[in-house]
Amino acid sequence: WLVARAGRSARGAHAAWWVAALCASSLPYAVWSVAGLETGLATFLVSWLLIAVLDQRDVQAGLAVALLAWLRPELALFAGVLLVWRWRVRTVLLACAGVASLFAFRWASFGHLLPMTLSAKPALLANGMAYVAAGEPRVWMMALLLAIAIVRGGRVTRVLAGALVAHALAVTLAGGDWMPARRLFVPV
């Protein structure tokens, strides 16, 4: 879907090849696309959200955020940056309805609103910092590209870079993850 969309962009086949190469060369993406957890679906929803925001498809963006709330709480800051950037009342209402339905479900089922992972694994800041700052080359390459995007990019590039920084902050505050292959970064 993303390769086809890139092929229809101004850069055409060249962009499609870059997107295909990026996806094919990412070991974490390959691992978590077939691992049986929610990461593949979360990756699809993040992609859908980005495209909906860029194309100004308000209802689709709101639905994507509403569904993401049920899958991955650490993606809330990432989605929030995009929603603030393309502020539309109906988009925010749909997103809030998804979050409210999740909170209602948690309250009715468990008697609290926060994810159960908070009690299963403490969100230690030191663990989160170590997870985000791990020496994996892709993380450092992403940090370099973010710095370039913030300095030289246009408005859209800066917003996307800000959303990625917000996600890194959320993952840090969540205490990282104990699973291999950078699972919490795959969707973005």
Side-chain angles (χ1 to χ4, degrees):
W1 177 49
L2 294 175
V3 170
R5 179 175 169 83
R8 292 188 304 269
S9 72
R11 292 199 161 91
H14 185 69
W17 278 106
W18 274 107
V19 170
L22 179 65
C23 291
S25 68
S26 174
L27 179 61
Y29 182 77
V31 166
W32 289 108
S33 66
V34 295
L37 294 175
E38 78 292 340
T39 303
L41 181 56
T43 303
F44 169 76
L45 290 172
V46 165
S47 301
W48 185 30
L49 170 62
L50 282 170
I51 289 172
V53 165
L54 291 172
D55 290 350
Q56 297 182 13
R57 296 179 182 194
D58 305 337
V59 172
Q60 290 184 19
L63 288 173
V65 174
L67 294 171
L68 271 172
W70 282 81
L71 290 178
R72 300 286 285 271
E74 79 279 356
L75 286 166
L77 285 179
F78 177 85
V81 168
L82 295 178
L83 290 184
V84 166
W85 175 52
R86 292 284 194 196
W87 179 265
R88 302 288 187 274
V89 172
R90 65 180 165 180
T91 305
V92 174
L93 287 176
L94 278 169
C96 288
V99 173
S101 68
L102 173 62
F103 284 159
F105 173 80
R106 285 184 180 157
W107 187 261
S109 299
F110 310 114
H112 57 84
L113 301 178
L114 298 176
M116 292 186 298
T117 54
L118 287 177
S119 60
K121 179 188 77 69
L124 301 175
L125 189 59
N127 290 351
M129 291 171 62
Y131 183 83
V132 170
E136 184 176 310
R138 281 190 182 274
V139 173
W140 294 110
M141 182 60 74
M142 186 172 81
L144 175 63
L145 291 174
L146 284 172
I148 292 169
I150 290 169
V151 172
R152 299 193 63 192
R155 183 172 180 227
V156 172
T157 305
R158 285 189 184 120
V159 169
L160 294 177
L164 290 173
V165 169
H167 182 65
L169 176 63
V171 170
T172 301
L173 294 174
D177 191 25
W178 59 273
M179 292 184 162
R182 319 290 300 158
R183 181 178 75 101
L184 297 182
F185 282 109
V186 169
V188 299

